[in-house]
Each structure stands twice: as C-alpha cells, then as structure tokens.
Amino acid sequence: MNSLLHLSETQRAIVDTAREFCAAEVTPYAAQWDRDAHFDPTLTHKLGELGFLGMMIPEAHDGLGLDTTTYLLALEEISAADASVGVLMSVHNSLPTQMLLKYGSEAQRREFLGPLARGEKLGAFALSEPDAGSDAAAMRAQAVRDGDDWVLNGTKAWISAGGHAGVVLAMVRTDSSDARKGAKGIGAFIVTPDLPGFKVGKKENKMGLRASETVQLVFDNMRVPGDRLLGDPTQGFVYALQSLESGRLGIATQALGIARAAYDHARAYARERQQFGQAIGEFQGVQFKLADMATRINAARSLIHATAAAKDRGEAVGEYASMCKLFATETAMWVTTQAIQVFGGYGYTTDYPVEKLFRDAKVTEIYEGTSEIQRVVIGRAALKG
Ligand code: CAA
C-alpha cells in the first residue's frame, strides 16, 4: 500500500529487494523466532550484503549513500515482515551510525563505519539505565580519566541487540562534580565488546519483539582508550538526543510496517471469512474498520515521508520526528487492536499473525521515548515557536 508515494527507479528497486528478501529470509521464520525468542545472528550478515545496514552511510565508507526517504521505504518492508528485524535495522542505521557520521572524527569514521555498513558489526545505542529511562540525563554510569584512557563503570539498560553488537555508542557521565549537571556532563564513547570489563547482563523476557534481544550492558572498570571518545566529552547527551530524531523516524516507520501488515491481514480475512451467508467484509461495520485503518496508515506514512524529505533538505525536524513517532505508534496500536477484532476469536490465538503484531506494536509507544515524552518535545516546541 504505497499508492500515494511516487517512487524513483532506485526506490522501487530497493522496495522490491526488501520484499524478496523478506519473502525468502524473514516471513517464513518470524513466528518461530517469536515463539523461541530467538535472535538469528546470520540476519546481520544477510542485511549487510544487501546494503541495508549502511543505507545512509556514504559510499566512501562502503554504504549505499541513500537518503532518509529511501532508507525508510526499505525499513517499512522489513518491519511489515518482522518488527524484530525492523528494530535491528532501525537502531543500527539511525543511532550509532548517525552519531558516528555526524560527530565522529575522520579516524573514527574510517575505523567503524565500513564494518557497520557491511554488516560485519552490528551497532547498538546505550543511553538508558535501570533508574534513568524517560529522564535519561539522570544516568549514573561514570567515566573517569586515567592517563590517556577513560575507566567506565555502570549499567546501561534496554539495549537492543546489545549482546550481539560489535559497536556500542554509550552515553556515560564524564563530570562527577554534580550529578544533576544532567545534560552538560555526559560523554559519548565508542565501546566494543573486546574491551576488558565489558559484560552482557540481564536479558529481558519481553511480551513482544521477542526475536530482538534486549539486554543490560555492564561496564565493570572497563578501560576505554581516549580515542574512543566521540567529540566533546560534555556533549554526549546532546549528540544522543540529536540522533534520536533519526531514531524516532525509524521507530515511526517500524510502527507503520506493523500497522500495514495488520491491515493487510484484516483485509484478506474480511474477504474470505463467511458469516451470516456472506463475507464479513460485506458488512459495513467491518468496512468502516478497514476504512479507518487505511486512513490512519496513509496519514502516518504521509507525515513520515514529509518529515524525511525535510530532514534530507537539511531542515530541523525534531518536533516533526516526535509527531511521526507519536502518531504512527499510536496508529499501530489502534490498527492491530482493530485487526484482532476483525479476526474475532481466531485473532486472539497464535494460529493467526495479528496477535503477534499487536504485541510487537506495544513497545513502539515506549522505546526511543514514550508517547508522553514525544508530547513533551512537541509541546515545548509549540510554546517556543
Ligand atoms: N537535538 C540537539 N540537541 C538537543 C535536542 C535535539 N533533538 N534535544 C535536546 N537537546 C539539547 C537541549 O538544547 C539542551 O541543551 P542546552 O541546555 O544547551 O540548550 C540539552 O540537549 C538537554 O535538553 P533538555 O534540557 O531538553 O533535557 P531534559 O533532561 O529536559 O530531557 C527529554 C529532555 C525530551 C525528556 C529527553 O530526556 C528525552 O528525550 N527522554 C527520552 C529518552 C529516550 O528517548 N530514550 C530512548 C533510549 S534508546 C532506546 O529506546 C533503546 C533502543 O535500543 C531502541
């Protein structure tokens, strides 16, 4: 359902590639991965071979050098097939990669972007902590300078693919003089799992997105060379929030993919399911549900693509990225709920895919900033503007 978008030849080719990849490598396995909470590490290499892990990385660093719009078109396809693969692709392309591109030194970009683009290394983003979620600046993990190195201690939480990541962009307090210096005393470090003191902690047992592994990362006297610090040691929080603008567009698109998949299943079922002597789609009550689903999905996609285009023109899109995430994720929750209703009792069982979509949709209203935090960002911008 891309009917309103006019795709270029390149974009059409990317969408077709994504669909073929999903039909062969994702859709047949998604339900089993969900049941087993299994993260398939071979996906990283497969997505890397397609260029889907370096979509916005310049060709000089082995990426595809594409724009945000084209990246999001691919992400919608992948997320419609399995939102767990979608979040892997979104976090990798939006957060660590964008932080390195925007704030990394030439040497850091040369060392890390190629392996990320080729899918040799998976990227992760470590901002939250067990006691610092929405209030991310309340983090306690601490970096202390020791000669040329930094020594990091603390626990980061809710890290997507953290146990499989080869490169983690970790935000850690660099100024201990005042814990409420908040945003001002935080650095961003390029952390790799070979560093002594890097430990993978608790793995979360989640309601949805079960094939995406979510873990804690523990830094236990982890010695990080000085050249792994990104940019200014006091600006890591600003870098992270800036990169989250890209991340939130990604999660909005992941939600869009989930909603589209639920709508497609509901539409097909409405055509085939017979009750009272006719297909249930013949009843206006069901038609109205499909109409509202299609309208909200197209509205979400239009907002996302208008925001992506503005971003690619170099415009500031912070509050629009938040609007995309707020609207698309609430759309995904609403559409998946309606899809289950169209399926009736069957929708409530694991025999049909809509209950998984419903479970997967829920987290999109929570991570990379809850719906409430998106409203804070939008509300603050409204009062400023
Ligand atoms: N771009 C650049 N700078 C920004 C910015 C942006 N989008 N947003 C804020 N800043 C700057 C501000 O200008 C400010 O700097 P100055 O003081 O120099 O002006 C600084 O960053 C701090 O900003 P705030 O004062 O607004 O900070 P705050 O403590 O009030 O927090 C918040 C604001 C919006 C609540 C923010 O903390 C937030 O977004 N919280 C949610 C955190 C979040 O999204 N976490 C998701 C983690 S990732 C994840 O989910 C895991 C995964 O793997 C999927």
Side-chain angles (χ1 to χ4, degrees):
M1 194 177 47
N2 283 324
S3 50
L4 273 180
L5 301 178
H6 175 74
L7 304 192
S8 68
E9 253 178 58
T10 306
Q11 290 171 335
R12 172 51 58 203
I14 291 277
V15 168
D16 289 346
T17 302
R19 285 187 181 164
E20 282 163 26
F21 173 75
C22 289
E25 304 282 355
V26 180
T27 309
Y29 310 107
Q32 191 65 45
W33 290 336
D34 174 65
R35 272 194 290 279
D36 299 345
H38 173 68
F39 173 83
D40 182 355
T42 67
L43 278 171
T44 309
H45 303 290
K46 291 173 185 165
L47 287 166
E49 274 168 19
L50 293 178
F52 283 7
L53 294 183
M55 295 199 74
M56 294 178 291
I57 294 178
E59 288 173 275
H61 294 291
D62 284 351
L64 295 185
L66 294 167
D67 58 14
T68 310
T69 303
T70 310
Y71 153 60
L72 295 179
L73 286 168
L75 181 58
E76 180 182 332
E77 297 306 321
I78 300 285
S79 302
D82 187 8
S84 288
V85 186
V87 73
L88 177 154
M89 187 171 152
S90 175
V91 169
H92 179 101
N93 277 285
S94 304
L95 295 171
T97 297
Q98 291 302 304
M99 279 183 84
L100 277 162
L101 260 177
K102 193 153 182 168
Y103 302 108
S105 66
E106 187 46 40
Q108 288 168 338
R109 287 202 291 262
R110 247 196 337 269
E111 181 175 357
F112 294 104
L113 285 176
L116 286 167
R118 294 190 294 273
E120 291 160 15
K121 289 195 170 155
L122 191 54
F125 180 78
L127 177 67
S128 307
E129 295 184 1
D131 294 319
S134 290
D135 185 8
M139 68 177 65
R140 288 207 292 254
Q142 183 75 51
V144 176
R145 194 100 224 199
D146 185 21
D148 288 343
D149 300 341
W150 292 84
V151 177
L152 273 56
N153 278 290
T155 299
K156 307 305 283 186
W158 309 110
I159 317 299
S160 299
H164 294 269
V167 179
V168 181
L169 266 289
M171 274 46 73
V172 177
R173 191 162 292 291
T174 47
D175 184 341
S176 58
S177 56
D178 174 5
R180 283 307 316 179
K181 256 193 174 167
K184 296 291 172 247
I186 290 169
F189 292 87
I190 307 166
V191 166
T192 49
D194 57 314
L195 293 172
F198 177 101
K199 295 178 184 162
V200 178
K202 178 181 174 225
K203 179 183 165 187
E204 308 297 342
N205 185 12
K206 307 193 303 286
M207 155 186 177
L209 229 60
R210 291 176 55 74
S212 160
E213 205 178 83
T214 307
V215 297
Q216 291 190 349
L217 292 180
V218 180
F219 304 152
D220 181 8
N221 280 319
M222 182 173 70
R223 185 166 284 274
V224 180
D227 63 2
R228 293 287 189 84
L229 176 73
L230 201 74
D232 184 319
T234 66
Q235 292 299 302
F237 189 71
V238 173
Y239 302 161
L241 285 191
Q242 211 283 327
S243 305
L244 273 167
E245 292 181 7
S246 198
R248 288 167 182 170
L249 262 177
I251 300 305
T253 304
Q254 181 202 25
L256 174 64
I258 296 170
R260 187 190 94 190
Y263 168 79
D264 286 344
H265 287 300
R267 198 162 56 120
Y269 192 75
R271 284 195 182 120
E272 105 201 1
R273 170 74 170 166
Q274 300 284 319
Q275 289 291 276
F276 300 102
Q278 60 181 10
I280 60 169
E282 297 297 322
F283 292 106
Q284 208 173 42
V286 173
Q287 286 172 18
F288 281 8
K289 280 196 197 308
L290 295 175
D292 288 344
M293 287 184 204
T295 303
R296 292 189 196 200
I297 289 169
N298 276 297
R301 186 182 287 111
S302 299
L303 182 58
I304 289 170
H305 284 278
T307 303
K311 183 172 184 299
D312 286 336
R313 289 194 301 271
E315 294 167 27
V317 295
E319 73 260 38
Y320 290 100
S322 286
M323 286 181 209
C324 289
K325 182 173 186 292
L326 175 63
F327 187 73
T329 64
E330 292 192 348
T331 293
M333 205 59 232
W334 187 84
V335 168
T336 54
T337 306
Q338 298 306 315
I340 292 177
Q341 198 67 18
V342 170
F343 274 79
Y346 292 113
Y348 198 64
T349 73
T350 53
D351 293 344
Y352 288 86
V354 283
E355 64 81 36
K356 173 181 179 293
L357 292 165
F358 172 88
R359 289 186 285 108
D360 287 349
K362 183 59 209 167
V363 75
T364 67
E365 293 183 317
I366 298 171
Y367 62 14
E368 297 207 21
T370 60
S371 295
E372 291 75 12
I373 289 296
Q374 306 314 323
R375 287 186 168 92
V376 166
V377 173
I378 300 162
R380 283 182 182 175
L383 290 173
K384 248 198 227 159

